[in-house]
Amino acid sequence: DGNEITKEDIQLPSCTPSMTYVDENFEGTLDEEVKKFERDLLKKLYPSYPSTRQLAKKLGLSHTAIANKLREYGINKATVKL
C-alpha cells in the first residue's frame, strides 16, 4: 500500500539440495551420458584453457588424451567462442 516492502512481499526461489543433470526417465546409457557431460565440460573450459596442454593440466589428463577428446567431440577454436 505504501513505500515499504515487507518479507511477505519477497518470494525467493526454493532451493533443493539434490540437483540432477539427467532426467530420471532418460532413454540412454551411462556411457552416452558420460560422453555428453564430458563434451559439455570441455566446451565450457576450452575458451579459458585454449591449448591441449593448459586444458590437460586443469583436468589432470595428458595433453594427448585431451587432444583426442577434443577431436572426438569436434571441439576446436572454430566451433568454440574464445
Side-chain angles (χ1 to χ4, degrees), residues 25-76:
N25 299 315
F26 81 98
E27 294 286 331
T29 65
L30 176 61
D31 188 52
E32 290 169 343
E33 291 304 316
V34 168
K35 286 182 184 262
K36 285 180 192 176
F37 176 81
E38 188 175 63
R39 183 192 66 232
D40 291 345
L41 179 65
L42 290 170
K43 278 185 173 180
K44 286 179 183 175
L45 291 177
Y46 192 60
S48 298
Y49 304 90
S51 78
T52 57
R53 291 189 188 281
Q54 291 173 342
L55 192 50
K57 184 176 181 182
K58 171 68 177 168
L59 296 174
L61 296 171
S62 72
H63 74 278
T64 304
I66 291 296
N68 289 337
K69 290 180 182 300
L70 293 174
R71 194 176 308 105
E72 176 184 352
Y73 299 127
I75 300 169
N76 57 48

